[in-house]
Amino acid sequence: MHNKSTHRFLRPETVTAFCIIVVAAGFLIPTTELAPLSALLPAAMLVGLILLAIVMMISDQRKASAGEEAKPVVKSPKRVFGAFCLIALYCIAVDLIGFYPSTAISLPLVAYIFGYRDLRGLAIATVIVLVAIYLIFSVSMSQEFPIGLLWAE
């Protein structure tokens, strides 16, 4: 079965890039209400995401101009859906039990689900990431992460 879009702007990669731009821009707006130091990392990451999506869109439009057939964006929809579910659960967990416990659970779990099976390596990587986050943000930049509703006074 041949499924060719009738319009070049309805190609899957272009639509995906456009959606990424819109969502990232939507998340970028609340960063204007944060303290400048607190807004720096999320704003920089969102701007980077927008720029990468623009590059993706331009690349796909060049392919469309050359007459190249559009390819599906997702080759494994179950894995992508699972990743989105894990992100949602992580956000809920950060709100409930705090940033550090959620990250300590989520990092090795996601890596394990996506195929990394060395438990010792998972533990070492998790400790390194958490210590680096703590030293960079909590110690060096004096930033506080959510402690979670369960631990709040």
Side-chain angles (χ1 to χ4, degrees):
M1 185 166 122
H2 185 60
N3 187 10
K4 187 175 180 183
S5 294
T6 57
H7 198 277
R8 66 185 276 171
F9 292 111
L10 296 177
R11 293 168 58 95
E13 276 191 42
T14 298
V15 172
T16 301
F18 178 76
C19 291
I20 290 170
I21 292 167
V22 170
V23 171
F27 282 128
L28 191 58
I29 293 168
T31 63
T32 60
E33 298 174 11
L34 297 173
L37 192 58
S38 298
L40 181 63
L41 182 62
M45 291 176 69
L46 289 166
V47 168
L49 186 60
I50 290 170
L51 292 174
L52 288 172
I54 290 170
V55 169
M56 179 179 167
M57 187 182 290
I58 291 169
S59 171
D60 188 52
Q61 288 304 300
R62 284 187 178 167
K63 291 175 187 175
S65 294
E68 192 175 315
E69 190 173 330
K71 297 176 185 168
V73 175
V74 178
K75 293 178 182 156
S76 178
K78 289 180 184 176
R79 183 174 269 186
V80 172
F81 179 73
F84 280 118
C85 288
L86 286 172
I87 291 168
L89 288 172
Y90 175 71
C91 292
I92 292 168
V94 167
D95 196 38
L96 290 177
I97 63 172
F99 174 78
Y100 288 110
S102 299
T103 305
I105 294 167
S106 298
L107 276 176
L109 179 63
V110 170
Y112 188 85
I113 289 171
F114 280 94
Y116 190 78
R117 301 286 190 244
D118 180 12
L119 297 180
R120 183 173 173 227
L122 288 172
I124 292 169
T126 301
V127 169
I128 290 171
V129 168
L130 287 173
V131 168
I133 289 172
Y134 176 76
L135 291 175
I136 292 168
F137 294 101
S138 295
V139 175
S140 299
M141 299 173 76
S142 300
Q143 297 297 305
E144 292 183 21
F145 288 98
I147 59 168
L149 297 174
L150 294 179
W151 320 119
E153 293 180 29

